[in-house]
């Protein structure tokens, strides 16, 4: 059995889970999300919890069993608490600002980089160097944060760039001079 897949997903008060055909919809205080089920994976809602089961024992079914349970857990967490990723800009003159549905980054290029923000994600900037990405969909929040980080990934030599909050970088020594 899948160790993750057999654990039930506990539902808090105010969360509704509906299973229709091969689609699971989760509705909560912050919004509504959905997930399409693969053939061979079954979802039952009973006793205030969501139970995920599978029909086969192939390695693919075992993997999808655990994946479906984790995705449903993320949907429940998203509609109750939401998700947040924080990024830090480190470097002289590096700054960010939000204008409507676009994020403008000045990160050492000759031009500012403008990224569009999906409507279901909120991006805020604190102190011009801290960018917070919030939303109810974990995949979308993580993807937007990864897109922002990919504009100027952190440099291991000078420690400049865009990194996740709490990310530790090992500083590499530069090229040694010849004596």
């Amino acid at each position: 059995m899948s160790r993750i897949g057999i654990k039930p997903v506990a539902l808090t008060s105010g969360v509704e889970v509906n299973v229709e055909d091969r689609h699971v919809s989760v509705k909560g205080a912050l919004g509504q999300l959905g997930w399409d089920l693969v053939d061979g994976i079954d979802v039952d809602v009973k006793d205030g919890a969501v139970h995920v089961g599978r029909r086969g024992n192939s390695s693919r079914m075992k993997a999808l069993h655990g994946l479906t349970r984790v995705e449903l857990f993320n949907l429940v967490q998203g509609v109750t608490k939401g998700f947040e990723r924080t990024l830090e800009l480190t470097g002289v003159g590096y700054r960010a600002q939000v204008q409507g549905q676009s994020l403008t980054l000045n990160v050492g290029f000759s031009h500012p980089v403008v990224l569009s923000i999906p409507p279901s994600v909120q991006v805020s900037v604190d102190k011009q160097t801290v960018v917070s990405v919030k939303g109810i969909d974990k995949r979308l929040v993580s993807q937007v944060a990864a897109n922002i980080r990919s504009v100027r990934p952190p440099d291991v030599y000078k420690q400049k760039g865009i990194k996740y909050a709490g990310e530790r970088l090992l500083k590499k020594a530069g090229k040694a001079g010849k004596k």
Side-chain angles (χ1 to χ4, degrees):
M1 288 298 300
S2 170
R3 294 181 188 180
I4 300 292
I6 60 173
K7 293 182 181 179
V9 178
L11 298 177
T12 59
S13 61
V15 177
E16 294 179 21
V17 177
N18 295 323
V19 182
E20 294 179 9
D21 297 328
R22 303 301 302 157
H23 185 76
V24 178
S25 62
V26 181
K27 191 175 190 180
L30 298 179
Q32 182 173 355
L33 294 171
W35 178 259
D36 291 325
L37 296 174
V38 179
D39 289 333
I41 301 293
D42 299 318
V43 173
D44 294 325
V45 181
K46 56 185 173 188
D47 302 329
V50 178
H51 300 274
V52 180
R54 66 173 188 260
R55 291 188 214 136
N57 278 329
S58 67
S59 61
R60 182 175 189 274
M61 276 297 121
K62 290 178 182 178
L64 290 173
H65 186 208
L67 172 74
T68 303
R69 191 265 178 203
V70 170
E71 287 294 336
L72 293 177
F73 178 77
N74 288 339
L75 296 180
V76 171
Q77 288 291 96
V79 298
T80 55
K81 298 178 186 175
F83 296 100
E84 179 179 6
R85 292 301 301 246
T86 306
L87 298 115
E88 298 171 348
L89 282 69
T90 307
V92 177
Y94 285 19
R95 62 184 179 273
Q97 64 184 27
V98 176
Q99 297 170 340
Q101 285 298 106
S102 64
L103 174 69
T104 305
L105 299 169
N106 293 321
V107 287
F109 296 121
S110 62
H111 60 284
V113 178
V114 179
L115 299 173
S116 63
I117 302 168
S120 61
V121 174
Q122 297 85 33
V123 175
S124 62
V125 177
D126 301 328
K127 299 183 269 182
Q128 294 185 343
T129 59
V130 178
V131 179
S132 296
V133 182
K134 297 178 185 176
I136 62 172
D137 189 357
K138 185 175 184 177
R139 285 178 178 235
L140 189 58
V141 168
S142 298
Q143 186 61 54
V144 170
N147 291 345
I148 293 170
R149 185 180 185 270
S150 71
V151 170
R152 178 70 86 166
D155 181 24
V156 293
Y157 296 105
K158 296 182 181 178
Q159 302 288 304
K160 294 175 15 176
I162 303 172
K163 65 177 186 169
Y164 295 115
E167 181 180 7
R168 294 191 51 180
L169 302 174
L170 297 176
K171 184 168 181 166
K172 285 188 166 184
K175 188 162 80 170
K178 191 174 185 182
K179 290 186 179 183

